[in-house]
Amino acid sequence: MIRATNIKEIMDIIPRSDDYLSKPPLRIGEVLVQMGCVSENHVQYALEKQKSSGAQKKIGDILIEEGYVTKRHVREALKLQSLLVTAALIAAFLVNQIVGMTPAAQASSKAKSMEITTRVLPHWKLSVEYQAQEIVITEEDIRKGVVEVKAGTRLTIKNTSKAGYYLLFEGLGKPFKSLSLQGINGLGEVIITSPNALVHQEYSKTARTHELSYKFYLSDDVKPGTYPWPVLITLQPS
């Protein structure tokens, strides 16, 4: 499901009609950032990796390989990218039509536009301020059966829906069999034992910032080493 459900948010990131022909449409990495799936640092890393590989791989494929997003997120972003391009072309057409109108007709058109856009739909926005990129597992961690990561994630969520929202945790798997996390506002310890888990958050008038600390419980056959960060957090409307 696309995160940018607020029409105003979508329109804010559409290229202006007077520079649409001189600027490229929104890139897939930028769309994923707007959706709250990745941070700008993730996209910058993927761009640098793409450049070093001779631009043979697409940004979306690199982000998937690094574990930052899933194939589903990329498909949704591509759909939204297509929607934005179409909306920009429509906006350019409408502006051109208005420019050719008489002053009275322009005033009438603007008045009608205001009537159409007065309703603000509920929206959700997730901003990832910090995200650890890897986990180092030592022999000592293996003996304990758990590896701890303090302040591994910091994110801020803005929500205008009275129904609240869900935090979706995806990707947990070997060499990790489960995890517990703390730092979600209003909750104590949260236990996750499956590759996909939803945690509900109630409506809040102000933006909420969550700083998450983790305990990853290790599989019996785990080996020492450095592993990619195993959990992707996205926002799902309630």
Side-chain angles (χ1 to χ4, degrees):
M1 184 178 294
I2 295 173
R3 313 303 187 274
T5 54
N6 184 339
I7 293 176
K8 183 178 184 302
E9 281 191 8
I10 294 177
M11 295 304 294
D12 284 344
I13 59 177
I14 293 174
R16 290 176 48 178
S17 60
D18 56 359
D19 62 6
Y20 177 75
L21 295 178
S22 63
K23 291 184 179 181
L26 211 63
R27 299 176 186 273
I28 188 67
E30 296 172 310
V31 176
L32 286 165
V33 171
Q34 292 289 339
M35 290 169 62
C37 295
V38 295
S39 68
E40 294 182 359
N41 289 338
H42 292 157
V43 175
Q44 186 60 39
Y45 172 79
L47 288 170
E48 292 174 359
K49 190 168 183 178
Q50 182 191 50
K51 184 177 180 181
S52 65
S53 67
Q56 295 180 355
K57 291 185 177 181
K58 296 179 180 180
I59 292 297
D61 292 335
I62 295 174
L63 291 170
I64 292 171
E65 290 176 358
E66 294 298 321
Y68 298 146
V69 298
T70 64
K71 291 181 179 180
R72 178 172 61 83
H73 294 141
V74 174
R75 287 197 300 268
E76 291 175 357
L78 289 170
K79 290 178 183 178
L80 179 55
Q81 184 186 47
S82 176
L83 173 64
L84 294 173
V85 171
T86 301
L89 291 171
I90 293 173
F93 172 78
L94 293 176
V95 169
N96 289 335
Q97 292 296 309
I98 292 173
V99 169
M101 293 179 182
T102 64
Q106 289 185 23
S108 175
S109 176
K110 290 179 180 179
K112 291 179 180 178
S113 296
M114 290 179 65
E115 291 174 4
I116 294 172
T117 58
T118 50
R119 183 187 177 195
V120 178
L121 298 178
H123 71 281
W124 305 259
K125 183 176 182 181
L126 181 150
S127 301
V128 179
E129 299 170 10
Y130 172 75
Q131 176 59 64
Q133 299 301 306
E134 59 188 24
I135 297 179
V136 178
I137 299 177
T138 65
E139 293 284 1
E140 179 65 20
D141 296 325
I142 294 174
R143 283 193 290 272
K144 293 179 179 178
V146 61
V147 56
E148 298 187 39
V149 180
K150 301 291 186 181
T153 304
R154 182 181 175 85
L155 49 86
T156 297
I157 297 173
K158 295 180 180 179
N159 162 57
T160 64
S161 171
K162 295 296 179 66
Y165 57 90
Y166 288 97
L167 289 175
L168 173 61
F169 295 81
E170 296 181 282
L172 183 67
K174 286 189 175 182
F176 310 102
K177 58 184 180 182
S178 64
L179 73 86
S180 70
L181 59 91
Q182 292 185 329
I184 298 179
N185 288 355
L187 300 178
E189 183 181 26
V190 176
I191 306 296
I192 295 176
T193 59
S194 63
N196 298 285
L198 288 169
V199 178
H200 187 259
Q201 285 286 275
E202 299 293 340
Y203 166 72
S204 173
K205 291 183 179 180
T206 59
R208 283 181 172 175
T209 297
H210 307 271
E211 186 170 270
L212 307 183
S213 294
Y214 302 82
K215 289 183 180 179
F216 291 93
Y217 294 90
L218 305 176
S219 302
D220 295 335
D221 57 350
V222 64
K223 304 295 183 183
T226 300
Y227 295 82
W229 188 258
V231 179
L232 174 68
I233 305 174
T234 55
L235 189 152
Q236 295 285 335
S238 181

